[in-house]
Amino acid sequence: MELRRLDNGEVFRRVDAGSPVLDLVAAPDGQWLAYASNTTNLVRYRPSTGIVDASLPTERPYDLAASADGSRLAVTTLTGGGFMVDTATWASTARI
């Protein structure tokens, strides 16, 4: 996966996601990116440091959406389930 600057399109970081990325969402303040891939993990990536600092096993993640303040992440799965993630602790807090 390539991350590009918005102003000029220049690649500023490449991330090895391990398999094709199914969905990607960014925190409103840009502090983290969350992505899901065929590895069935939901990953939190810090663009400023280039570090994956959290991973959460999931059931075939399909769609991701961040709350307006970036504190929560909604995850739906290909199996029809879903859950909420607290982005500070990267823990599942509720089933949808």
Side-chain angles (χ1 to χ4, degrees), residues 60-91:
R60 301 286 309 218
Y62 174 70
D63 197 20
L64 308 174
S67 63
D69 65 359
S71 67
R72 298 276 186 262
L73 184 65
V75 181
T76 57
T77 66
L78 288 173
T79 58
F83 57 95
M84 297 293 290
V85 174
D86 179 313
T87 59
T89 63
W90 212 246

Side-chain angles (χ1 to χ4, degrees), residues 4-95:
R4 296 178 177 270
R5 294 179 51 95
L6 291 176
D7 56 353
N8 63 12
E10 176 185 329
V11 174
F12 72 91
R13 195 168 314 277
R14 287 184 172 80
V15 180
D16 181 9
S19 67
V21 172
L22 301 173
D23 201 7
L24 171 80
V25 67
D29 63 3
Q31 293 297 309
W32 53 262
L33 298 175
Y35 64 87
S37 67
N38 284 331
T39 62
T40 66
N41 282 321
L42 176 65
V43 175
R44 182 176 63 196
Y45 173 79
R46 304 283 183 173
S48 62
T49 62
I51 295 174
V52 170
D53 67 351
S55 180
L56 187 64
T58 67
E59 304 167 354
R60 301 286 309 218
Y62 174 70
D63 197 20
L64 308 174
S67 63
D69 65 359
S71 67
R72 298 276 186 262
L73 184 65
V75 181
T76 57
T77 66
L78 288 173
T79 58
F83 57 95
M84 297 293 290
V85 174
D86 179 313
T87 59
T89 63
W90 212 246
S92 177
T93 58
R95 288 298 219 189

